[in-house]
Amino acid sequence: MIPRLRRKLNSCAEKAISSFSSDLTDTIDIGGEIEVTEVPVQQGNRLIGTRIRDSKIREETGANIIGAWIDGELQLPPDPDAIIRSNTVLLVTGARDALEAFSDFTQPARTLQKHERIIVAGQGEVGQASREVISERGLDVVTIDIEDRDGVDVVGDSRTDEILEEAGVETAGAIIIGLPDDSGSLLTTVLARSLNHDIEILVRVTDTDATRKALSAGADYVLSVPRVSARMVARELRGEDVLAPASQIRLLRVPATPLAGSTLAKSGIYEKTGCRVIAIKDGSGFTSAVDPQRKFTGTEHIVLVGSDEAVQQFRKQFDVSPIKS
């Protein structure tokens, strides 16, 4: 694995550590003091079980929920009646202070207790990178691997209750699962969740189709290696904005040339591609108040958000090159 991709896979460890903090990470400034970020809903979040329409996010913080990953599906915009669950990922926009207020409102910082630890199951590339990141932060880490080698604390199969219990899963704060096969990772996820309802579970998968299965099995965060690779290309070669290579959404800034003389409602962008326009830049600056009946001159810039597939479909349908931020 190339060093750059290995560094990107550190995201599992960073996510595990961030679960004990309400600090904002991976935000993008899209202009006009408007920022966008993804916020995974973690165990214990006050919003769990709440319908999006009843969350009072805008009233309490000034931030706006513009999208949500629910059960592995991206909703742009989210269904107002959708129920927020522990593996929901909210896509939020607003000024910096609004996003900080949102983070504090939804998930107040947890304290890493002395008895808590982060478990790393599997000491391949992802496991080794995660162990290094966690150790550098001075946190307690326990590693599991089927082979007895340097850096392994518990030798055995993490797909068994006995080995997970030996590693202390019942009192751990988080577990990072990076086994060589997705089926083993899914089984470990199920077992870890059954042994500790409150543990944060972060899973690496090699098959994109395994993402939804991992969420259904009890994972809070799923990192798909193929998607990470695609986002690295998008960020570094195509000039697209990506919150982080491990993020679940992509942002695209493009000229509004294809929309000249038309309105957003008539453009069919969402219907044809699944992308949503979240901001417009014209001569007067940026605005996130997007009027679907506004007629474009073609000189504007628009900012879109969507899944990997949606962004690819937009580029194919509208044949326009991104603007580098």
Side-chain angles (χ1 to χ4, degrees), residues 61-295:
T61 70
N64 296 304
I65 298 177
I66 61 171
W69 281 89
I70 299 175
D71 296 329
E73 293 290 338
L74 178 60
Q75 297 183 8
L76 289 170
D79 180 352
D81 288 319
I83 296 176
I84 300 172
R85 306 187 188 282
S86 61
N87 58 11
T88 298
V89 179
L90 300 176
L91 183 63
V92 188
T93 62
R96 182 73 182 187
D97 57 351
L99 296 185
E100 290 176 344
F102 170 82
S103 184
D104 291 338
F105 174 75
T106 58
Q107 43 193 46
R110 296 166 54 193
T111 300
L112 187 63
Q113 304 295 327
K114 290 182 179 180
H115 69 276
E116 289 184 319
R117 66 193 57 81
I118 296 177
I119 298 172
V120 180
Q123 280 298 289
E125 292 283 355
V126 172
Q128 292 176 29
S130 298
R131 185 189 68 205
E132 292 171 6
V133 170
I134 297 167
S135 297
E136 287 172 359
R137 298 295 184 90
L139 300 179
D140 185 16
V141 58
V142 176
T143 59
I144 304 173
D145 198 82
I146 199 72
E147 296 182 12
D148 187 1
R149 49 180 166 168
D150 289 343
V152 176
D153 300 309
V154 178
V155 179
D157 191 343
S158 64
R159 298 173 298 178
T160 65
D161 288 350
E162 294 78 12
I163 293 300
L164 288 175
E165 289 171 348
E166 185 178 344
V169 71
E170 293 169 303
T171 56
I175 181 171
I176 298 170
I177 303 170
L179 302 184
D181 63 287
D182 290 347
S183 60
S185 293
L186 294 176
L187 179 54
T188 301
T189 299
V190 172
L191 293 176
R193 178 61 69 210
S194 69
L195 293 169
N196 185 341
H197 178 72
D198 295 324
I199 195 171
E200 299 289 339
I201 302 178
L202 304 97
V203 185
R204 188 285 309 268
V205 296
T206 56
D207 185 345
T208 302
D209 293 335
T211 299
R212 184 182 294 182
K213 295 178 182 177
L215 292 171
S216 298
D220 296 291
Y221 173 80
V222 182
L223 183 144
S224 165
V225 174
R227 291 188 183 277
V228 169
S229 300
R231 290 169 189 138
M232 287 173 62
V233 172
R235 169 183 278 181
E236 299 181 23
L237 299 183
R238 298 178 184 171
E240 296 177 20
D241 279 330
V242 183
L243 289 177
S247 167
Q248 301 193 69
I249 61 100
R250 276 162 52 181
L251 283 87
L252 189 66
R253 305 167 190 254
V254 296
T257 310
L259 306 182
S262 180
T263 65
L264 189 60
K266 293 180 179 179
S267 70
I269 288 178
Y270 180 74
E271 293 77 9
K272 295 176 182 177
T273 71
C275 286
R276 181 184 178 187
V277 176
I278 61 171
I280 299 173
K281 180 184 179 183
D282 56 20
S284 59
F286 270 95
T287 179
S288 59
V290 180
D291 180 1
Q293 301 304 323
R294 168 181 175 158
K295 183 172 287 188

